[in-house]
Amino acid sequence: MTTTIAWVGLGLMGNPMSKHMVNAGYKVNGVDIDPVARERAAANGVNIVNNVVEACADASVVFSMLPSGSDVDDVMTSADGVFASSRPGTIIIDCSTIGIAYAKKLHEAASEAGVVFIEAPVSGGTEGARDGTLTFMIGCDKAHATKAKELLSPLGDYLAHVGGPGTGQAAKVVNNLIMAVSVTVNCEATALGERLGLDMKEFFEIAIRSSADNWSFRIWNPAPGVVAEAPASHGYKAGFKTWLLAKDLSLAVEAGREVGARLETAETAYALMSEHSNSGGADMDATSLALHLADKKQAKAA
């Protein structure tokens, strides 16, 4: 008998991820507010329904992939949300980056509703979602960890049970702190290299063989024409939107303040990403920060 799952959120990450679940033999009921996202998912074999209530009606598992903690909280806990619409014992796996506080709140709310909430934020970007090679950071009671890994296996190649409620998001916050600061300094270095007249394609070959090498520089290089599949080579069409990276940095900054950790590099990166986002770059790929920094340098030079 085919297992039915509900999928809430069919955007840049949710679309390819839900496709993998279809290919793995699941019936997928998908829901999204964006008609373009619904159309693309339908082309992948997802059964598009009108709302969360319909999506959850005959599902034994619910996945969600949404932009923010407030989005996930609303989708899960509203009167017509996932918790209220799911049968007792339903497993609900959220793959979004929502922060530690929201995760703990949702674990508690799920328990009260008689369903199982599993936080499983991801790393690997849209490329990992497309290729089914994501890394998952699973936070849930140990009793549910094996089932969570089984359900997530079509989507990733490293599935880590980090610990109990909140720990998956904690791992994600720390991971994204490193990634986001790397993206920021890559953009700063690109803007500087271009101002100094470097051939950025040749510099790329140097950097990936030297101490400057890092994952985001190789995959999401900020200079146009250096990496063919990078957003910079496609007009900075978003793979990871600037406002989302700023949001992830804000989660790290908030977590640091809560435990008294100094995160001055993260705060600087957050300020730069927020400035770029607020000045028109919000929906561009985060590596478009290089354009913003180049403009600032030119303005100062003038």
Side-chain angles (χ1 to χ4, degrees), residues 6 8 56 59-64 72 75-76 81-95 106-107 109-111 113-120 139-140 144 148 151-152:
V8 184
C56 296
S60 56
V61 181
V62 180
F63 284 85
S64 57
V72 176
V75 162
M76 294 296 165
V82 171
F83 292 170
S85 304
S86 299
R87 296 171 294 189
T90 297
I91 295 174
I92 298 157
I93 303 177
D94 176 55
C95 301
L106 289 168
H107 279 284
S111 180
V115 296
V116 176
F117 182 76
I118 295 169
E119 59 192 274
C140 65
H144 304 300
L151 290 165
L152 290 165

PDB file of all heavy atoms in Angstrom, residues 6 8 56 59-64 72 75-76 81-95 106-107 109-111 113-120 139-140 144 148 151-152:
ATOM      1  N   ALA A   6       2.006  14.497   3.244  1.00  0.00           N
ATOM      2  CA  ALA A   6       1.654  15.874   2.904  1.00  0.00           C
ATOM      3  C   ALA A   6       2.937  16.676   2.834  1.00  0.00           C
ATOM      4  O   ALA A   6       3.855  16.455   3.636  1.00  0.00           O
ATOM      5  CB  ALA A   6       0.714  16.457   3.947  1.00  0.00           C
ATOM      6  N   VAL A   8       4.133  20.702   2.730  1.00  0.00           N
ATOM      7  CA  VAL A   8       3.750  22.106   2.838  1.00  0.00           C
ATOM      8  C   VAL A   8       4.965  22.972   2.516  1.00  0.00           C
ATOM      9  O   VAL A   8       5.963  22.966   3.250  1.00  0.00           O
ATOM     10  CB  VAL A   8       3.232  22.433   4.251  1.00  0.00           C
ATOM     11  CG1 VAL A   8       2.739  23.884   4.305  1.00  0.00           C
ATOM     12  CG2 VAL A   8       2.128  21.469   4.663  1.00  0.00           C
ATOM     13  N   CYS A  56      -3.394  17.126   4.724  1.00  0.00           N
ATOM     14  CA  CYS A  56      -3.150  16.251   5.870  1.00  0.00           C
ATOM     15  C   CYS A  56      -4.215  15.173   6.061  1.00  0.00           C
ATOM     16  O   CYS A  56      -4.019  14.240   6.857  1.00  0.00           O
ATOM     17  CB  CYS A  56      -3.074  17.085   7.157  1.00  0.00           C
ATOM     18  SG  CYS A  56      -1.689  18.249   7.204  1.00  0.00           S
ATOM     19  N   ALA A  59      -2.868  11.698   5.226  1.00  0.00           N
ATOM     20  CA  ALA A  59      -1.414  11.553   5.300  1.00  0.00           C
ATOM     21  C   ALA A  59      -0.990  10.990   6.647  1.00  0.00           C
ATOM     22  O   ALA A  59      -1.505  11.374   7.694  1.00  0.00           O
ATOM     23  CB  ALA A  59      -0.747  12.902   5.072  1.00  0.00           C
ATOM     24  N   SER A  60      -0.025  10.086   6.596  1.00  0.00           N
ATOM     25  CA  SER A  60       0.544   9.547   7.836  1.00  0.00           C
ATOM     26  C   SER A  60       1.820  10.282   8.222  1.00  0.00           C
ATOM     27  O   SER A  60       2.320  10.140   9.348  1.00  0.00           O
ATOM     28  CB  SER A  60       0.831   8.056   7.682  1.00  0.00           C
ATOM     29  OG  SER A  60       1.681   7.817   6.582  1.00  0.00           O
ATOM     30  N   VAL A  61       2.338  11.073   7.287  1.00  0.00           N
ATOM     31  CA  VAL A  61       3.544  11.871   7.519  1.00  0.00           C
ATOM     32  C   VAL A  61       3.351  13.231   6.870  1.00  0.00           C
ATOM     33  O   VAL A  61       2.771  13.324   5.788  1.00  0.00           O
ATOM     34  CB  VAL A  61       4.802  11.195   6.922  1.00  0.00           C
ATOM     35  CG1 VAL A  61       6.049  12.038   7.200  1.00  0.00           C
ATOM     36  CG2 VAL A  61       4.979   9.783   7.455  1.00  0.00           C
ATOM     37  N   VAL A  62       3.816  14.279   7.540  1.00  0.00           N
ATOM     38  CA  VAL A  62       3.745  15.630   6.984  1.00  0.00           C
ATOM     39  C   VAL A  62       5.151  16.226   6.972  1.00  0.00           C
ATOM     40  O   VAL A  62       5.862  16.172   7.978  1.00  0.00           O
ATOM     41  CB  VAL A  62       2.817  16.542   7.809  1.00  0.00           C
ATOM     42  CG1 VAL A  62       2.761  17.945   7.193  1.00  0.00           C
ATOM     43  CG2 VAL A  62       1.427  15.947   7.928  1.00  0.00           C
ATOM     44  N   PHE A  63       5.551  16.777   5.826  1.00  0.00           N
ATOM     45  CA  PHE A  63       6.805  17.517   5.714  1.00  0.00           C
ATOM     46  C   PHE A  63       6.484  18.994   5.510  1.00  0.00           C
ATOM     47  O   PHE A  63       5.492  19.334   4.867  1.00  0.00           O
ATOM     48  CB  PHE A  63       7.614  17.050   4.500  1.00  0.00           C
ATOM     49  CG  PHE A  63       8.310  15.726   4.666  1.00  0.00           C
ATOM     50  CD1 PHE A  63       7.636  14.545   4.420  1.00  0.00           C
ATOM     51  CD2 PHE A  63       9.640  15.674   5.054  1.00  0.00           C
ATOM     52  CE1 PHE A  63       8.270  13.325   4.546  1.00  0.00           C
ATOM     53  CE2 PHE A  63      10.286  14.460   5.185  1.00  0.00           C
ATOM     54  CZ  PHE A  63       9.610  13.271   4.935  1.00  0.00           C
ATOM     55  N   SER A  64       7.361  19.855   6.010  1.00  0.00           N
ATOM     56  CA  SER A  64       7.238  21.281   5.702  1.00  0.00           C
ATOM     57  C   SER A  64       8.606  21.859   5.410  1.00  0.00           C
ATOM     58  O   SER A  64       9.614  21.461   5.997  1.00  0.00           O
ATOM     59  CB  SER A  64       6.567  22.047   6.850  1.00  0.00           C
ATOM     60  OG  SER A  64       7.265  21.886   8.063  1.00  0.00           O
ATOM     61  N   VAL A  72       6.370  28.754   9.904  1.00  0.00           N
ATOM     62  CA  VAL A  72       6.173  27.377  10.364  1.00  0.00           C
ATOM     63  C   VAL A  72       5.236  27.339  11.554  1.00  0.00           C
ATOM     64  O   VAL A  72       4.328  26.493  11.627  1.00  0.00           O
ATOM     65  CB  VAL A  72       7.525  26.730  10.719  1.00  0.00           C
ATOM     66  CG1 VAL A  72       7.320  25.330  11.297  1.00  0.00           C
ATOM     67  CG2 VAL A  72       8.421  26.651   9.487  1.00  0.00           C
ATOM     68  N   VAL A  75       1.669  27.806  10.292  1.00  0.00           N
ATOM     69  CA  VAL A  75       1.186  26.635   9.549  1.00  0.00           C
ATOM     70  C   VAL A  75       0.915  25.463  10.489  1.00  0.00           C
ATOM     71  O   VAL A  75      -0.036  24.703  10.289  1.00  0.00           O
ATOM     72  CB  VAL A  75       2.206  26.248   8.454  1.00  0.00           C
ATOM     73  CG1 VAL A  75       1.967  24.817   7.961  1.00  0.00           C
ATOM     74  CG2 VAL A  75       2.124  27.209   7.283  1.00  0.00           C
ATOM     75  N   MET A  76       1.729  25.328  11.507  1.00  0.00           N
ATOM     76  CA  MET A  76       1.573  24.186  12.415  1.00  0.00           C
ATOM     77  C   MET A  76       0.458  24.386  13.431  1.00  0.00           C
ATOM     78  O   MET A  76      -0.316  23.461  13.706  1.00  0.00           O
ATOM     79  CB  MET A  76       2.899  23.926  13.156  1.00  0.00           C
ATOM     80  CG  MET A  76       4.028  23.467  12.274  1.00  0.00           C
ATOM     81  SD  MET A  76       3.703  21.869  11.506  1.00  0.00           S
ATOM     82  CE  MET A  76       4.970  21.855  10.232  1.00  0.00           C
ATOM     83  N   GLY A  81      -4.428  24.422  10.910  1.00  0.00           N
ATOM     84  CA  GLY A  81      -3.050  24.086  10.603  1.00  0.00           C
ATOM     85  C   GLY A  81      -2.759  22.595  10.669  1.00  0.00           C
ATOM     86  O   GLY A  81      -3.660  21.757  10.824  1.00  0.00           O
ATOM     87  N   VAL A  82      -1.491  22.259  10.581  1.00  0.00           N
ATOM     88  CA  VAL A  82      -1.056  20.865  10.493  1.00  0.00           C
ATOM     89  C   VAL A  82      -1.401  20.077  11.758  1.00  0.00           C
ATOM     90  O   VAL A  82      -1.922  18.958  11.678  1.00  0.00           O
ATOM     91  CB  VAL A  82       0.454  20.792  10.206  1.00  0.00           C
ATOM     92  CG1 VAL A  82       0.959  19.358  10.328  1.00  0.00           C
ATOM     93  CG2 VAL A  82       0.758  21.343   8.821  1.00  0.00           C
ATOM     94  N   PHE A  83      -1.124  20.633  12.922  1.00  0.00           N
ATOM     95  CA  PHE A  83      -1.376  19.884  14.157  1.00  0.00           C
ATOM     96  C   PHE A  83      -2.855  19.564  14.320  1.00  0.00           C
ATOM     97  O   PHE A  83      -3.225  18.437  14.676  1.00  0.00           O
ATOM     98  CB  PHE A  83      -0.880  20.660  15.383  1.00  0.00           C
ATOM     99  CG  PHE A  83       0.613  20.809  15.472  1.00  0.00           C
ATOM    100  CD1 PHE A  83       1.193  21.649  16.416  1.00  0.00           C
ATOM    101  CD2 PHE A  83       1.456  20.118  14.613  1.00  0.00           C
ATOM    102  CE1 PHE A  83       2.568  21.790  16.511  1.00  0.00           C
ATOM    103  CE2 PHE A  83       2.846  20.253  14.693  1.00  0.00           C
ATOM    104  CZ  PHE A  83       3.394  21.104  15.648  1.00  0.00           C
ATOM    105  N   ALA A  84      -3.709  20.541  14.035  1.00  0.00           N
ATOM    106  CA  ALA A  84      -5.151  20.333  14.192  1.00  0.00           C
ATOM    107  C   ALA A  84      -5.730  19.433  13.110  1.00  0.00           C
ATOM    108  O   ALA A  84      -6.752  18.776  13.322  1.00  0.00           O
ATOM    109  CB  ALA A  84      -5.865  21.687  14.177  1.00  0.00           C
ATOM    110  N   SER A  85      -5.072  19.386  11.957  1.00  0.00           N
ATOM    111  CA  SER A  85      -5.613  18.648  10.809  1.00  0.00           C
ATOM    112  C   SER A  85      -5.082  17.225  10.684  1.00  0.00           C
ATOM    113  O   SER A  85      -5.563  16.456   9.845  1.00  0.00           O
ATOM    114  CB  SER A  85      -5.292  19.408   9.512  1.00  0.00           C
ATOM    115  OG  SER A  85      -5.783  20.726   9.551  1.00  0.00           O
ATOM    116  N   SER A  86      -4.109  16.877  11.498  1.00  0.00           N
ATOM    117  CA  SER A  86      -3.476  15.567  11.396  1.00  0.00           C
ATOM    118  C   SER A  86      -4.060  14.574  12.392  1.00  0.00           C
ATOM    119  O   SER A  86      -4.489  14.950  13.482  1.00  0.00           O
ATOM    120  CB  SER A  86      -1.961  15.693  11.648  1.00  0.00           C
ATOM    121  OG  SER A  86      -1.354  16.535  10.691  1.00  0.00           O
ATOM    122  N   ARG A  87      -4.023  13.323  11.988  1.00  0.00           N
ATOM    123  CA  ARG A  87      -4.511  12.272  12.866  1.00  0.00           C
ATOM    124  C   ARG A  87      -3.542  12.058  14.027  1.00  0.00           C
ATOM    125  O   ARG A  87      -2.342  12.318  13.894  1.00  0.00           O
ATOM    126  CB  ARG A  87      -4.676  10.971  12.084  1.00  0.00           C
ATOM    127  CG  ARG A  87      -5.734  11.051  10.992  1.00  0.00           C
ATOM    128  CD  ARG A  87      -5.726   9.822  10.106  1.00  0.00           C
ATOM    129  NE  ARG A  87      -4.485   9.711   9.319  1.00  0.00           N
ATOM    130  CZ  ARG A  87      -4.300   8.827   8.352  1.00  0.00           C
ATOM    131  NH1 ARG A  87      -5.253   7.953   8.046  1.00  0.00           N
ATOM    132  NH2 ARG A  87      -3.154   8.803   7.675  1.00  0.00           N
ATOM    133  N   PRO A  88      -4.031  11.563  15.173  1.00  0.00           N
ATOM    134  CA  PRO A  88      -3.133  11.293  16.307  1.00  0.00           C
ATOM    135  C   PRO A  88      -1.988  10.366  15.892  1.00  0.00           C
ATOM    136  O   PRO A  88      -2.184   9.411  15.142  1.00  0.00           O
ATOM    137  CB  PRO A  88      -4.048  10.606  17.322  1.00  0.00           C
ATOM    138  CG  PRO A  88      -5.420  11.125  16.998  1.00  0.00           C
ATOM    139  CD  PRO A  88      -5.451  11.274  15.507  1.00  0.00           C
ATOM    140  N   GLY A  89      -0.801  10.697  16.349  1.00  0.00           N
ATOM    141  CA  GLY A  89       0.364   9.882  16.045  1.00  0.00           C
ATOM    142  C   GLY A  89       1.071  10.225  14.751  1.00  0.00           C
ATOM    143  O   GLY A  89       2.120   9.647  14.440  1.00  0.00           O
ATOM    144  N   THR A  90       0.517  11.156  13.972  1.00  0.00           N
ATOM    145  CA  THR A  90       1.153  11.552  12.711  1.00  0.00           C
ATOM    146  C   THR A  90       2.549  12.109  12.966  1.00  0.00           C
ATOM    147  O   THR A  90       2.767  12.869  13.911  1.00  0.00           O
ATOM    148  CB  THR A  90       0.304  12.614  11.984  1.00  0.00           C
ATOM    149  OG1 THR A  90      -0.960  12.052  11.654  1.00  0.00           O
ATOM    150  CG2 THR A  90       0.989  13.094  10.712  1.00  0.00           C
ATOM    151  N   ILE A  91       3.492  11.723  12.126  1.00  0.00           N
ATOM    152  CA  ILE A  91       4.855  12.248  12.208  1.00  0.00           C
ATOM    153  C   ILE A  91       4.958  13.498  11.346  1.00  0.00           C
ATOM    154  O   ILE A  91       4.624  13.472  10.160  1.00  0.00           O
ATOM    155  CB  ILE A  91       5.874  11.190  11.748  1.00  0.00           C
ATOM    156  CG1 ILE A  91       5.865   9.999  12.706  1.00  0.00           C
ATOM    157  CG2 ILE A  91       7.270  11.790  11.635  1.00  0.00           C
ATOM    158  CD1 ILE A  91       6.737   8.848  12.256  1.00  0.00           C
ATOM    159  N   ILE A  92       5.427  14.576  11.933  1.00  0.00           N
ATOM    160  CA  ILE A  92       5.528  15.864  11.242  1.00  0.00           C
ATOM    161  C   ILE A  92       6.989  16.291  11.256  1.00  0.00           C
ATOM    162  O   ILE A  92       7.574  16.498  12.320  1.00  0.00           O
ATOM    163  CB  ILE A  92       4.636  16.919  11.912  1.00  0.00           C
ATOM    164  CG1 ILE A  92       3.168  16.477  11.819  1.00  0.00           C
ATOM    165  CG2 ILE A  92       4.834  18.284  11.280  1.00  0.00           C
ATOM    166  CD1 ILE A  92       2.275  17.087  12.850  1.00  0.00           C
ATOM    167  N   ILE A  93       7.570  16.394  10.070  1.00  0.00           N
ATOM    168  CA  ILE A  93       8.994  16.709   9.932  1.00  0.00           C
ATOM    169  C   ILE A  93       9.145  18.076   9.282  1.00  0.00           C
ATOM    170  O   ILE A  93       8.772  18.276   8.126  1.00  0.00           O
ATOM    171  CB  ILE A  93       9.717  15.647   9.077  1.00  0.00           C
ATOM    172  CG1 ILE A  93       9.543  14.250   9.685  1.00  0.00           C
ATOM    173  CG2 ILE A  93      11.198  15.994   8.950  1.00  0.00           C
ATOM    174  CD1 ILE A  93      10.175  13.133   8.868  1.00  0.00           C
ATOM    175  N   ASP A  94       9.684  19.015  10.046  1.00  0.00           N
ATOM    176  CA  ASP A  94       9.913  20.352   9.499  1.00  0.00           C
ATOM    177  C   ASP A  94      11.382  20.482   9.117  1.00  0.00           C
ATOM    178  O   ASP A  94      12.266  20.277   9.948  1.00  0.00           O
ATOM    179  CB  ASP A  94       9.546  21.428  10.512  1.00  0.00           C
ATOM    180  CG  ASP A  94       9.878  22.807   9.979  1.00  0.00           C
ATOM    181  OD1 ASP A  94       9.388  23.136   8.879  1.00  0.00           O
ATOM    182  OD2 ASP A  94      10.646  23.536  10.641  1.00  0.00           O
ATOM    183  N   CYS A  95      11.630  20.833   7.864  1.00  0.00           N
ATOM    184  CA  CYS A  95      12.995  20.951   7.334  1.00  0.00           C
ATOM    185  C   CYS A  95      13.458  22.403   7.235  1.00  0.00           C
ATOM    186  O   CYS A  95      14.532  22.679   6.692  1.00  0.00           O
ATOM    187  CB  CYS A  95      13.080  20.279   5.973  1.00  0.00           C
ATOM    188  SG  CYS A  95      12.641  18.523   5.983  1.00  0.00           S
ATOM    189  N   LEU A 106       7.313  24.316  19.287  1.00  0.00           N
ATOM    190  CA  LEU A 106       6.536  23.422  18.435  1.00  0.00           C
ATOM    191  C   LEU A 106       6.582  21.975  18.917  1.00  0.00           C
ATOM    192  O   LEU A 106       5.601  21.242  18.761  1.00  0.00           O
ATOM    193  CB  LEU A 106       7.027  23.531  16.988  1.00  0.00           C
ATOM    194  CG  LEU A 106       6.657  24.856  16.313  1.00  0.00           C
ATOM    195  CD1 LEU A 106       7.415  25.037  15.007  1.00  0.00           C
ATOM    196  CD2 LEU A 106       5.152  24.943  16.070  1.00  0.00           C
ATOM    197  N   HIS A 107       7.678  21.554  19.516  1.00  0.00           N
ATOM    198  CA  HIS A 107       7.723  20.222  20.125  1.00  0.00           C
ATOM    199  C   HIS A 107       6.658  20.112  21.218  1.00  0.00           C
ATOM    200  O   HIS A 107       5.932  19.114  21.302  1.00  0.00           O
ATOM    201  CB  HIS A 107       9.103  19.949  20.720  1.00  0.00           C
ATOM    202  CG  HIS A 107      10.137  19.496  19.722  1.00  0.00           C
ATOM    203  ND1 HIS A 107      10.169  18.219  19.216  1.00  0.00           N
ATOM    204  CD2 HIS A 107      11.149  20.168  19.134  1.00  0.00           C
ATOM    205  CE1 HIS A 107      11.187  18.111  18.370  1.00  0.00           C
ATOM    206  NE2 HIS A 107      11.798  19.289  18.301  1.00  0.00           N
ATOM    207  N   ALA A 109       3.897  22.012  21.593  1.00  0.00           N
ATOM    208  CA  ALA A 109       2.556  22.116  21.019  1.00  0.00           C
ATOM    209  C   ALA A 109       2.143  20.820  20.334  1.00  0.00           C
ATOM    210  O   ALA A 109       0.979  20.402  20.406  1.00  0.00           O
ATOM    211  CB  ALA A 109       2.496  23.281  20.032  1.00  0.00           C
ATOM    212  N   ALA A 110       3.083  20.172  19.678  1.00  0.00           N
ATOM    213  CA  ALA A 110       2.787  18.902  19.007  1.00  0.00           C
ATOM    214  C   ALA A 110       2.419  17.830  20.021  1.00  0.00           C
ATOM    215  O   ALA A 110       1.475  17.051  19.813  1.00  0.00           O
ATOM    216  CB  ALA A 110       3.987  18.457  18.177  1.00  0.00           C
ATOM    217  N   SER A 111       3.159  17.791  21.121  1.00  0.00           N
ATOM    218  CA  SER A 111       2.870  16.806  22.163  1.00  0.00           C
ATOM    219  C   SER A 111       1.466  16.992  22.713  1.00  0.00           C
ATOM    220  O   SER A 111       0.714  16.023  22.916  1.00  0.00           O
ATOM    221  CB  SER A 111       3.905  16.937  23.287  1.00  0.00           C
ATOM    222  OG  SER A 111       3.650  15.997  24.305  1.00  0.00           O
ATOM    223  N   ALA A 113      -1.002  18.219  21.104  1.00  0.00           N
ATOM    224  CA  ALA A 113      -1.957  17.884  20.043  1.00  0.00           C
ATOM    225  C   ALA A 113      -1.981  16.389  19.727  1.00  0.00           C
ATOM    226  O   ALA A 113      -2.812  15.945  18.917  1.00  0.00           O
ATOM    227  CB  ALA A 113      -1.611  18.672  18.771  1.00  0.00           C
ATOM    228  N   GLY A 114      -1.064  15.630  20.308  1.00  0.00           N
ATOM    229  CA  GLY A 114      -1.045  14.190  20.083  1.00  0.00           C
ATOM    230  C   GLY A 114      -0.347  13.758  18.810  1.00  0.00           C
ATOM    231  O   GLY A 114      -0.593  12.664  18.297  1.00  0.00           O
ATOM    232  N   VAL A 115       0.529  14.632  18.298  1.00  0.00           N
ATOM    233  CA  VAL A 115       1.305  14.297  17.096  1.00  0.00           C
ATOM    234  C   VAL A 115       2.792  14.373  17.433  1.00  0.00           C
ATOM    235  O   VAL A 115       3.176  14.853  18.501  1.00  0.00           O
ATOM    236  CB  VAL A 115       0.960  15.237  15.918  1.00  0.00           C
ATOM    237  CG1 VAL A 115      -0.487  15.053  15.493  1.00  0.00           C
ATOM    238  CG2 VAL A 115       1.239  16.704  16.283  1.00  0.00           C
ATOM    239  N   VAL A 116       3.622  13.888  16.519  1.00  0.00           N
ATOM    240  CA  VAL A 116       5.073  13.842  16.740  1.00  0.00           C
ATOM    241  C   VAL A 116       5.744  14.902  15.871  1.00  0.00           C
ATOM    242  O   VAL A 116       5.623  14.870  14.644  1.00  0.00           O
ATOM    243  CB  VAL A 116       5.640  12.455  16.400  1.00  0.00           C
ATOM    244  CG1 VAL A 116       7.160  12.453  16.549  1.00  0.00           C
ATOM    245  CG2 VAL A 116       5.014  11.387  17.264  1.00  0.00           C
ATOM    246  N   PHE A 117       6.445  15.838  16.501  1.00  0.00           N
ATOM    247  CA  PHE A 117       7.160  16.876  15.758  1.00  0.00           C
ATOM    248  C   PHE A 117       8.640  16.547  15.731  1.00  0.00           C
ATOM    249  O   PHE A 117       9.242  16.226  16.762  1.00  0.00           O
ATOM    250  CB  PHE A 117       6.958  18.251  16.397  1.00  0.00           C
ATOM    251  CG  PHE A 117       7.625  19.378  15.648  1.00  0.00           C
ATOM    252  CD1 PHE A 117       7.073  19.856  14.468  1.00  0.00           C
ATOM    253  CD2 PHE A 117       8.804  19.949  16.116  1.00  0.00           C
ATOM    254  CE1 PHE A 117       7.689  20.895  13.766  1.00  0.00           C
ATOM    255  CE2 PHE A 117       9.419  20.979  15.428  1.00  0.00           C
ATOM    256  CZ  PHE A 117       8.860  21.451  14.254  1.00  0.00           C
ATOM    257  N   ILE A 118       9.228  16.621  14.539  1.00  0.00           N
ATOM    258  CA  ILE A 118      10.656  16.374  14.355  1.00  0.00           C
ATOM    259  C   ILE A 118      11.249  17.554  13.609  1.00  0.00           C
ATOM    260  O   ILE A 118      10.787  17.902  12.523  1.00  0.00           O
ATOM    261  CB  ILE A 118      10.894  15.071  13.568  1.00  0.00           C
ATOM    262  CG1 ILE A 118      10.392  13.863  14.375  1.00  0.00           C
ATOM    263  CG2 ILE A 118      12.368  14.913  13.207  1.00  0.00           C
ATOM    264  CD1 ILE A 118      10.343  12.573  13.596  1.00  0.00           C
ATOM    265  N   GLU A 119      12.244  18.186  14.201  1.00  0.00           N
ATOM    266  CA  GLU A 119      12.946  19.259  13.490  1.00  0.00           C
ATOM    267  C   GLU A 119      14.077  18.620  12.698  1.00  0.00           C
ATOM    268  O   GLU A 119      14.834  17.788  13.219  1.00  0.00           O
ATOM    269  CB  GLU A 119      13.496  20.291  14.480  1.00  0.00           C
ATOM    270  CG  GLU A 119      14.451  19.670  15.468  1.00  0.00           C
ATOM    271  CD  GLU A 119      14.800  20.559  16.649  1.00  0.00           C
ATOM    272  OE1 GLU A 119      15.735  21.353  16.506  1.00  0.00           O
ATOM    273  OE2 GLU A 119      14.165  20.405  17.711  1.00  0.00           O
ATOM    274  N   ALA A 120      14.184  18.967  11.435  1.00  0.00           N
ATOM    275  CA  ALA A 120      15.216  18.390  10.569  1.00  0.00           C
ATOM    276  C   ALA A 120      15.716  19.423   9.576  1.00  0.00           C
ATOM    277  O   ALA A 120      15.568  19.269   8.362  1.00  0.00           O
ATOM    278  CB  ALA A 120      14.677  17.160   9.847  1.00  0.00           C
ATOM    279  N   GLY A 139      16.507  16.883  15.309  1.00  0.00           N
ATOM    280  CA  GLY A 139      16.279  17.083  16.730  1.00  0.00           C
ATOM    281  C   GLY A 139      14.917  16.514  17.114  1.00  0.00           C
ATOM    282  O   GLY A 139      13.886  16.967  16.624  1.00  0.00           O
ATOM    283  N   CYS A 140      14.924  15.480  17.960  1.00  0.00           N
ATOM    284  CA  CYS A 140      13.677  14.866  18.412  1.00  0.00           C
ATOM    285  C   CYS A 140      14.007  13.857  19.506  1.00  0.00           C
ATOM    286  O   CYS A 140      15.181  13.561  19.763  1.00  0.00           O
ATOM    287  CB  CYS A 140      12.961  14.146  17.261  1.00  0.00           C
ATOM    288  SG  CYS A 140      13.856  12.729  16.581  1.00  0.00           S
ATOM    289  N   HIS A 144      12.121   8.407  18.157  1.00  0.00           N
ATOM    290  CA  HIS A 144      11.639   8.692  16.800  1.00  0.00           C
ATOM    291  C   HIS A 144      12.769   8.870  15.788  1.00  0.00           C
ATOM    292  O   HIS A 144      12.502   9.087  14.607  1.00  0.00           O
ATOM    293  CB  HIS A 144      10.774   9.948  16.809  1.00  0.00           C
ATOM    294  CG  HIS A 144       9.616   9.887  17.751  1.00  0.00           C
ATOM    295  ND1 HIS A 144       8.633   8.935  17.651  1.00  0.00           N
ATOM    296  CD2 HIS A 144       9.305  10.663  18.837  1.00  0.00           C
ATOM    297  CE1 HIS A 144       7.751   9.120  18.633  1.00  0.00           C
ATOM    298  NE2 HIS A 144       8.136  10.154  19.353  1.00  0.00           N
ATOM    299  N   ALA A 148      12.638   8.815  11.621  1.00  0.00           N
ATOM    300  CA  ALA A 148      12.935  10.077  10.936  1.00  0.00           C
ATOM    301  C   ALA A 148      13.985   9.868   9.852  1.00  0.00           C
ATOM    302  O   ALA A 148      13.847  10.355   8.717  1.00  0.00           O
ATOM    303  CB  ALA A 148      13.411  11.118  11.937  1.00  0.00           C
ATOM    304  N   LEU A 151      12.506   8.091   6.790  1.00  0.00           N
ATOM    305  CA  LEU A 151      11.673   8.960   5.969  1.00  0.00           C
ATOM    306  C   LEU A 151      12.491   9.985   5.192  1.00  0.00           C
ATOM    307  O   LEU A 151      12.125  10.382   4.081  1.00  0.00           O
ATOM    308  CB  LEU A 151      10.639   9.670   6.846  1.00  0.00           C
ATOM    309  CG  LEU A 151       9.543   8.779   7.419  1.00  0.00           C
ATOM    310  CD1 LEU A 151       8.810   9.491   8.554  1.00  0.00           C
ATOM    311  CD2 LEU A 151       8.558   8.364   6.323  1.00  0.00           C
ATOM    312  N   LEU A 152      13.600  10.419   5.756  1.00  0.00           N
ATOM    313  CA  LEU A 152      14.425  11.443   5.126  1.00  0.00           C
ATOM    314  C   LEU A 152      15.447  10.872   4.143  1.00  0.00           C
ATOM    315  O   LEU A 152      16.075  11.622   3.397  1.00  0.00           O
ATOM    316  CB  LEU A 152      15.162  12.254   6.201  1.00  0.00           C
ATOM    317  CG  LEU A 152      14.285  13.172   7.063  1.00  0.00           C
ATOM    318  CD1 LEU A 152      15.044  13.621   8.300  1.00  0.00           C
ATOM    319  CD2 LEU A 152      13.804  14.376   6.268  1.00  0.00           C
TER     320      LEU A 152
END
